[in-house]
Amino acid sequence: MNLVEERRQEALSLFEKVGLPNKRDENWKYTDASRLADLLEIDGSNTAINIEGLGMVDLDAYRMVFINGAFDAAQSSLPDEVNIVSLATLQSSVSDDDSQALAKLFQVSGDEPLFNGLMALNAATASDGAAVCLADNSVLNKPLYILHVSNQNNVIRHGLMLGEHAQAQVIEHFISTAENKALSNCVTALILKNGASLEHSRLQQEGKQQSHIARVEVKQCRDSSYTFHGVELGASLSRTDLVVNLSEQGASCALNGLFVLDGRQHVDHHTRVDHTAPHCTSHENYRTVLDGRSHAVFNGKVVVHEGASKTDSAQSNGNLLLSKHAEIDTKPELEIYNDDVKCAHGATVGQLDDKQLFYLRSRGVSEEAAQELLTFAFADEVLANMSNTTVRRYIEKAAFAKLPHSEGIEGLLGE
């Protein structure tokens, strides 16, 4: 048994020991993971899916396509000069000297922040994913678009490392082509070396019966910069854990999130940012728009460790309830072990402002159009931080098409 298989077996043993998270775990208090118990079996077959017309078809980008968790080379388009391969390909060709580095990608510890059994299950069963390594000072001249298309259970594990002063834009997009019940379990591990810069967009747009479990782990070295855009539109139940370690001086991260939910959708995001070095910056801005009987959970925790002086951190979570039956549980947290810091956090929950609605109505705007304008302005503040206009416009149209009285949204978006 090689080192990678040893790590997989260890992960499987850990999952068998801890099982699924339950509501006795404070981090899962509002999300019922027992709903996933019947969705843990992985179908070994891989049904072919033609992606023509799916996803962001107008996006000028390199593409990695995964069908039910397996890389589809025929429908992908990758650069020759950059080391981007599938994890399965990497495992089949890795040398003995590199096996130890690869095994780290499958190593899971029960002591990790926001650990749960589904993390271990992912490491034990994932057979493919994106393996991206950018050399020092390299710049990916087009975004890397990772399109996940599924119609059954799938497990995937990504590993991305940006060398010193490397720059890239990565877009993960999750969609499904069937309405049957299924589970996507995805882990993305990122390492940013000194001075590296990454803009990472993650759009979950799976079917109404789908469940989606994800974890994004980020380790940042000196003066690196990480920007995250997490958008939740689909699935019946979705849970994402985002863990960022600002491990060296000068590192910075900006975490942006938008949920647009209706029906009985349930979305839960837990973020944790560890300031373990001085002179680091973290900013979070999460917004939710909830209609029907949907339920959102946001828990953002910032930990400022001893020695992390001159920390600058801010969290903001705004929630707009369009229905009296919608529900939000929000808990921004600060845990500080240093005096020389600047930290702030806050959360708001409310409905559309009657005074703003009255003002627009008094200017001749119809009630429905006024509601559209205010809702659009509230949510689009998060999307405005996206540098890629094509991605932003795609998300805007998909998000606001879910809202009641959305007929006028096209006019608001323009071309």
Side-chain angles (χ1 to χ4, degrees):
M1 182 183 297
N2 60 36
L3 193 56
V4 171
E5 288 304 315
E6 286 183 15
R7 295 292 176 265
R8 284 182 174 277
Q9 288 298 320
E10 291 170 1
L12 182 60
S13 297
L14 184 56
F15 172 71
E16 291 173 345
K17 177 181 178 181
V18 301
L20 288 172
N22 58 64
K23 291 191 175 183
R24 291 192 299 273
D25 182 342
E26 181 66 24
N27 291 321
W28 288 79
K29 181 178 180 180
Y30 300 108
T31 299
D32 184 8
S34 67
R35 294 167 55 181
L36 309 175
D38 296 332
L39 300 175
L40 301 182
E41 293 295 328
I42 304 301
D43 187 344
S45 63
N46 189 12
T47 306
I49 300 176
N50 186 345
I51 68 164
E52 185 175 357
L54 299 179
M56 302 180 194
V57 295
D58 297 327
L59 181 63
D60 182 20
Y62 299 115
R63 292 171 183 263
M64 290 193 81
V65 177
F66 291 88
I67 306 297
N68 292 321
F71 178 59
D72 188 328
Q75 299 190 88
S76 299
S77 175
L78 295 175
D80 295 328
E81 67 275 11
V82 180
N83 187 10
I84 301 176
V85 298
S86 76
L87 187 60
T89 300
L90 182 64
Q91 289 184 84
S92 64
S93 60
V94 69
S95 66
D96 292 338
D97 294 336
D98 294 330
S99 62
Q100 188 168 0
L102 180 61
K104 289 183 179 179
L105 185 60
F106 295 93
Q107 188 169 348
V108 178
S109 168
D111 297 327
E112 296 178 48
L114 296 178
F115 168 80
N116 65 77
L118 290 162
M119 286 174 53
L121 183 64
N122 179 284
T125 58
S127 59
D128 213 343
V132 180
C133 184
L134 294 187
D136 293 350
N137 302 305
S138 63
V139 178
L140 198 60
N141 62 338
K142 292 197 293 186
L144 173 61
Y145 179 45
I146 305 176
L147 177 62
H148 302 266
V149 186
S150 65
N151 57 15
Q152 63 188 39
N153 290 356
N154 63 94
V155 183
I156 204 159
R157 198 170 187 89
H158 299 314
L160 293 85
M161 184 177 75
L162 274 63
E164 294 189 4
H165 303 288
Q167 299 178 35
Q169 182 182 151
V170 174
I171 301 148
E172 290 188 80
H173 189 185
F174 296 82
I175 60 177
S176 54
T177 60
E179 291 300 328
N180 55 295
K181 291 184 178 181
L183 170 64
S184 296
N185 185 344
C186 179
V187 170
T188 302
L190 307 169
I191 298 176
L192 278 62
K193 296 294 188 178
N194 295 349
S197 177
L198 174 64
E199 182 175 2
H200 179 200
S201 301
R202 196 176 191 283
L203 169 59
Q204 187 276 113
Q205 200 180 10
E206 294 179 321
K208 294 181 179 179
Q209 298 297 317
Q210 194 92 357
S211 294
H212 185 92
I213 301 296
R215 180 180 175 90
V216 179
E217 304 173 354
V218 188
K219 180 181 179 180
Q220 294 187 237
C221 298
R222 187 183 183 96
D223 297 325
S224 62
S225 173
Y226 176 68
T227 301
F228 174 80
H229 308 289
V231 180
E232 297 277 355
L233 303 181
S236 172
L237 182 151
S238 181
R239 163 72 182 237
T240 298
D241 292 342
L242 173 58
V243 180
V244 181
N245 185 354
L246 303 173
S247 64
E248 295 184 12
Q249 182 170 314
S252 64
C253 69
L255 312 181
N256 305 297
L258 175 64
F259 312 160
V260 180
L261 311 180
D262 59 10
R264 292 183 176 273
Q265 285 184 284
H266 178 99
V267 168
D268 181 346
H269 270 222
H270 272 56
T271 69
R272 172 165 171 147
V273 180
D274 282 282
H275 285 258
T276 57
H279 297 279
C280 291
T281 302
S282 67
H283 290 136
E284 294 182 62
N285 186 13
Y286 270 71
R287 298 211 165 190
T288 69
V289 179
L290 306 177
D291 199 11
R293 295 182 178 273
S294 59
H295 183 192
V297 181
F298 172 75
N299 186 298
K301 186 172 187 177
V302 174
V303 182
V304 181
H305 295 258
E306 292 184 17
S309 59
K310 304 298 181 182
T311 286
D312 185 351
S313 177
Q315 285 186 60
S316 175
N317 176 225
N319 304 280
L320 179 59
L321 306 183
L322 300 181
S323 164
K324 64 180 181 180
H325 300 295
E327 182 180 352
I328 173 70
D329 291 289
T330 178
K331 186 182 178 184
E333 297 181 84
L334 293 173
E335 192 173 311
I336 303 173
Y337 300 96
N338 198 296
D339 293 331
D340 189 9
V341 301
K342 183 172 69 173
C343 295
H345 67 303
T348 60
V349 180
Q351 299 173 322
L352 291 174
D353 191 297
D354 288 337
K355 291 182 179 179
Q356 293 177 340
L357 284 170
F358 176 79
Y359 175 83
L360 291 174
R361 292 294 308 280
S362 69
R363 295 301 186 271
V365 179
S366 70
E367 183 175 359
E368 292 181 358
Q371 292 173 348
E372 292 170 10
L373 284 166
L374 293 177
T375 304
F376 179 88
F378 172 83
D380 205 53
E381 181 180 309
V382 172
L383 300 182
N385 296 315
M386 288 185 164
S387 66
N388 192 303
T389 304
T390 302
V391 176
R392 176 182 172 183
R393 293 305 185 214
Y394 178 93
I395 293 172
E396 285 174 338
K397 291 181 180 181
F400 298 114
K402 296 185 63 177
L403 298 176
H405 314 302
S406 63
E407 294 81 1
I409 291 294
E410 289 290 331
L412 295 174
L413 298 179
E415 296 297 328

